[in-house]
Amino acid sequence: MKSLINKSNTVLALLLTAIMLFTGLTGCVVTEKPAAAATNPIMAEETIITSIYEQASPAIVEIVVTSKSTVFSGYSTSGQGSGFLIDNEGHILTNYHVVDSTTRVEVIFNNGNSATATILGTDEASDLAVIKVDAAAVAGITPLTLTDSSYLKPGQIAIALGSPYGLVNSISVGVISGLNRQVEGSSLPGMIQTDANIQPGNSGGPLLNSSGLVVGINTAFEGQGTGIGYAIPSSVALRVLPELKAGKTIERPWLGFSVLELTESLAKEIGITYHQGVYIVEIVTDSPAAKAKLVASGSYANGMPKKGGDIITAIDGQAVKRFIDLQNYLVTRKVGDTVTLNILRENINLGVSLTLVARPKSTTSTPQIPSIPWPWGQRD
């Protein structure tokens, strides 16, 4: 019996030694829980993002619209975009181009419920619109909050929510890649650039910060596969929301000319003295610029501007160094306001006053995420 016990003890000792060697321990085996999220930066960030998604996603809606066909007369086609609830009364913010020229707007909620929406106010120039569903349809859903986007800095977290290609409740995460961008074909300055993935169907969805607040409205991307997306700053939306919710169509002020940013090389090529400012190349007939008798240079057949155009150096005392400076100031003005331009004409400083009128619809252009057919392929 004693021999058996000794043998058992020997076997047990060998097993314990093997375990210690295998685990690299010199004492007893210790079991330990994984590091808490609070001490793991990656896990902490994941926790923040998943929490934001869980809180925000019920307020994100898919918007399915029916509109007149632009290809087949008498037919109807459908498109799809995104939007988000901004109050408990049923107001939903989206892109203008999502609901433009539609005959019916249907909103589909995160829980699968749907409701017919009415288009209230629109702002074509900033590509924003407010639609409304019955308040009962949003009972129990916490709306999203828009914050002032002027504090944004490149490198901050950006979270895009929406329904790209009809894939509802999708989330993509990136950073604020740039600010104050001018998108080709857009009349709206100051766009937010982000590398958060924005695709067709994300139109009108929110761009959130790390606190879950709306800092932008997703509206365009540079091109398939580039990873460059654009959002309308929330500060722009905050300025126009009262009018949109009141059912107004917002008119944007317009001067009626096309300009080029004047650089030293361009001035030399044209044969004029270089000054910081923008160079008037064309003026629209009967526009405020035409009535104020501003002078445009015109262009040669190859598109190169001629000599003799006015150079705008300031507006209402605010320096104009680039075209975006002019645009940023004009978005703070209203139709009917009078502004004073400081111009250089043949090296003579002049002050010219213009009364702003509403931008003609045909001259308004906004960047858009291409609409996508619903169901897929129907438009073809």
Side-chain angles (χ1 to χ4, degrees), residues 30-212:
V30 178
T31 57
E32 188 175 302
K33 293 182 179 179
T39 61
N40 185 319
I42 295 177
M43 292 179 66
E45 185 173 327
E46 286 180 352
T47 300
I48 291 171
I49 293 170
T50 54
S51 176
I52 288 173
Y53 176 79
E54 290 168 359
Q55 292 176 33
S57 58
I60 313 302
V61 301
E62 180 183 16
I63 298 175
V64 179
V65 298
T66 303
S67 57
K68 294 180 180 179
S69 173
T70 57
V71 180
F72 303 107
S73 178
Y75 285 77
S76 291
T77 61
S78 293
Q80 174 265 341
S82 303
F84 57 96
L85 187 67
I86 56 175
D87 59 30
N88 294 316
E89 299 170 7
H91 293 100
I92 293 167
L93 185 61
T94 186
N95 280 144
Y96 171 83
H97 77 261
V98 169
V99 297
D100 180 32
S101 303
T102 61
T103 56
R104 184 175 183 274
V105 180
E106 182 184 12
V107 169
I108 302 174
F109 294 93
N110 179 280
N111 58 11
N113 294 339
S114 64
T116 301
T118 302
I119 300 173
L120 290 185
T122 58
D123 183 7
E124 183 179 5
S126 65
D127 198 16
L128 293 173
V130 165
I131 62 177
K132 188 179 186 305
V133 297
D134 190 275
V138 300
I141 300 176
T142 301
L144 299 187
T145 301
L146 283 83
T147 188
D148 182 6
S149 56
S150 62
Y151 77 90
L152 286 176
K153 294 180 180 180
Q156 290 182 309
I157 289 177
I159 303 169
L161 297 177
S163 301
Y165 294 104
L167 300 171
V168 297
N169 306 327
S170 294
I171 179 173
S172 63
V173 181
V175 297
I176 302 297
S177 305
L179 300 169
N180 210 27
R181 300 302 196 203
Q182 179 66 42
V183 183
E184 185 178 355
S186 168
S187 58
L188 183 69
M191 298 282 277
I192 298 168
Q193 178 191 338
T194 179
D195 67 350
N197 196 16
I198 294 175
Q199 295 293 331
N202 274 122
S203 294
L207 189 70
L208 306 177
N209 64 11
S210 58
S211 297

Side-chain angles (χ1 to χ4, degrees), residues 261-344:
E261 293 180 5
L262 199 57
T263 62
E264 291 188 46
S265 59
L266 179 60
K268 184 177 181 180
E269 199 161 351
I270 296 172
I272 63 176
T273 302
Y274 169 70
H275 293 278
Q276 280 193 332
V278 294
Y279 188 62
I280 301 179
V281 180
E282 301 290 345
I283 292 177
V284 179
T285 304
D286 294 327
S287 66
K291 292 175 181 177
K293 299 183 179 179
L294 294 179
V295 178
S297 69
S299 302
Y300 294 107
N302 63 359
M304 177 60 62
K306 299 178 181 179
K307 187 177 180 179
D310 288 338
I311 302 171
I312 300 172
T313 59
I315 180 169
D316 286 344
Q318 304 291 315
V320 174
K321 298 179 181 179
R322 300 185 302 155
F323 180 48
I324 200 169
D325 297 329
L326 193 61
Q327 288 186 303
N328 282 335
Y329 184 78
L330 284 176
V331 296
T332 67
R333 302 293 90 192
K334 295 181 179 180
V335 172
D337 287 350
T338 298
V339 298
T340 299
L341 298 178
N342 291 103
I343 65 169
L344 276 173

